[in-house]
């Protein structure tokens, strides 16, 4: 590489562009080939900031407390590690689930279940959205076969826990998505009851747009030494 003299006689080095921050790939963040392939097919070229921050600790099994709004890519940030930790699903026990995602509304339950289904299709993962207003008989039939991931509103999840049609003994990960919304909708007691029914050694993930004091109290009670992430709404890419 030779230095050349510029027009004003100043020595100039050839221009080399060094990126100020190299964005890691999904692979470098620890995702396996099946999930990386699924993301490629969906056109996800690079991880968003929340995915960059959340994937490594979540894949390592740590608890996580994330302050992030919708539109930041937070669904993939919690869903991909959850799928990675499931591995290739083995034999499913009747009424059991390995991962439970709690969300405030039926719309979000359907949306998150659909996203997890798309990401996990190659892994053969089964996902079930559970919300009020759906015929319970139909939900029971699917639950009986055992489901890898349940995405539920808290009221309906608690309903099934009480009927023993949802068993959490083998649960590995629980996610509280839009936790502030769930508290605003009056689900605080339901959330406490559900978390009480999960195994001690589970991984707990909590995402919220805001952190009111009673949510902070809930997080202190139920999360163990969590990784903490805050992503501003405009910081999407
Ligand atoms: P969310 O904040 O989870 O509601 O995601 C917002 C939107 O961003 C959804 O339509 C996702 O499919 C999309 N999305 C999430 N992560 C990525 C990514 N890494 N690259 C491109 N799109 C993404």
């Amino acid at each position: 590489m030779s230095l050349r003299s510029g027009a004003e006689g100043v020595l100039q080095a050839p221009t080399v562009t060094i990126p100020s921050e190299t964005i890691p790939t999904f692979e470098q963040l620890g995702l396996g080939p099946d999930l990386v392939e699924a993301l490629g097919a969906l056109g996800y070229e690079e991880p968003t900031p929340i995915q960059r921050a959340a994937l490594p600790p979540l894949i390592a099994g740590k608890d996580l407390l994330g302050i992030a709004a919708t539109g930041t890519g937070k669904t993939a940030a919690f869903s991909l590690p959850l799928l990675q930790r499931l591995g290739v699903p083995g034999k499913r026990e009747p009424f059991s689930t390995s991962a439970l995602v709690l969300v405030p509304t039926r719309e979000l339950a359907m949306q998150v279940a659909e996203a997890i289904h798309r990401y996990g299709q190659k892994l053969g993962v089964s996902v079930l959205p559970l919300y009020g207003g759906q015929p319970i008989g139909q939900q029971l039939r699917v639950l009986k076969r055992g489901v890898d991931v349940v995405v539920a509103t808290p009221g309906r999840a608690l309903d099934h826990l009480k009927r023993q049609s949802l068993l959490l003994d083998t649960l590995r990960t629980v996610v509280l998505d839009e936790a502030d919304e769930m508290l605003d909708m009056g689900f605080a007691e339901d959330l406490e009851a559900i978390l009480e029914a999960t195994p001690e050694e589970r991984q707990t993930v909590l995402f919220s747009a805001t952190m009111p004091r009673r949510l902070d109290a809930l997080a202190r009670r139920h999360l163990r030494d969590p990784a903490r992430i805050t992503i501003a709404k405009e910081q999407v890419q």
Side-chain angles (χ1 to χ4, degrees):
M1 210 178 277
S2 66
L3 294 176
R4 60 187 166 79
S5 191
E8 287 87 33
V10 179
L11 281 179
Q12 289 184 335
T15 312
V16 181
T17 312
I18 299 168
S20 54
E21 185 206 358
T22 311
I23 296 174
T25 61
F26 283 110
E27 220 159 5
Q28 287 167 336
L29 293 173
L31 279 191
D34 286 340
L35 288 169
V36 170
E37 201 181 303
L39 296 177
L42 291 171
Y44 291 18
E45 287 174 5
E46 61 187 34
T48 65
I50 196 163
Q51 292 160 5
R52 278 173 241 158
L55 260 55
L58 287 181
I59 289 172
K62 271 190 76 74
D63 284 3
L64 184 135
L65 182 59
I67 305 295
T70 300
T72 51
K74 74 176 157 67
T75 310
F78 66 73
S79 302
L80 297 169
L82 178 156
L83 289 165
Q84 171 104 350
R85 279 167 51 78
L86 282 182
V88 177
K91 189 174 171 295
R92 297 179 183 115
E93 295 298 324
F95 300 110
S96 290
T97 190
S98 301
L100 175 65
V101 181
L102 295 164
V103 296
T105 63
R106 78 184 258 163
E107 289 73 25
L108 198 58
M110 290 190 284
Q111 201 179 307
V112 170
E114 173 59 29
I116 295 178
H117 175 73
R118 270 186 286 144
Y119 302 142
Q121 209 155 21
K122 252 200 124 190
L123 300 172
V125 168
S126 63
V127 189
L128 177 68
L130 282 184
Y131 44 81
Q134 235 181 355
I136 202 123
Q138 194 182 322
Q139 295 180 345
L140 289 173
R141 271 195 300 282
V142 183
L143 285 167
K144 190 168 183 197
R145 297 200 290 263
V147 179
D148 299 314
V149 186
V150 169
V151 184
T153 50
R156 188 50 71 105
L158 193 56
D159 229 22
H160 281 289
L161 279 176
K162 287 180 179 160
R163 291 168 180 257
Q164 297 200 308
S165 47
L166 179 62
L167 304 175
L168 301 180
D169 322 27
T170 56
L171 188 89
R172 302 191 62 194
T173 304
V174 61
V175 180
L176 278 65
D177 187 24
E178 305 204 352
D180 51 353
E181 290 284 324
M182 289 198 280
L183 290 191
D184 284 350
M185 291 174 72
F187 285 132
E189 279 180 21
D190 289 3
L191 289 177
E192 291 286 345
I194 295 166
L195 288 168
E196 286 304 323
T198 60
E200 278 264 311
E201 63 282 4
R202 72 179 187 253
Q203 179 184 43
T204 312
V205 184
L206 190 154
F207 274 108
S208 186
T210 60
M211 188 49 73
R213 197 182 315 187
R214 58 200 181 123
L215 185 54
D216 186 63
L218 183 143
R220 279 172 202 275
R221 275 196 302 280
H222 296 286
L223 273 69
R224 255 190 292 190
D225 184 26
R228 291 166 189 272
I229 300 173
T230 303
I231 301 285
K233 188 163 172 62
E234 57 273 19
Q235 204 183 334
V236 174
Q237 281 300 321

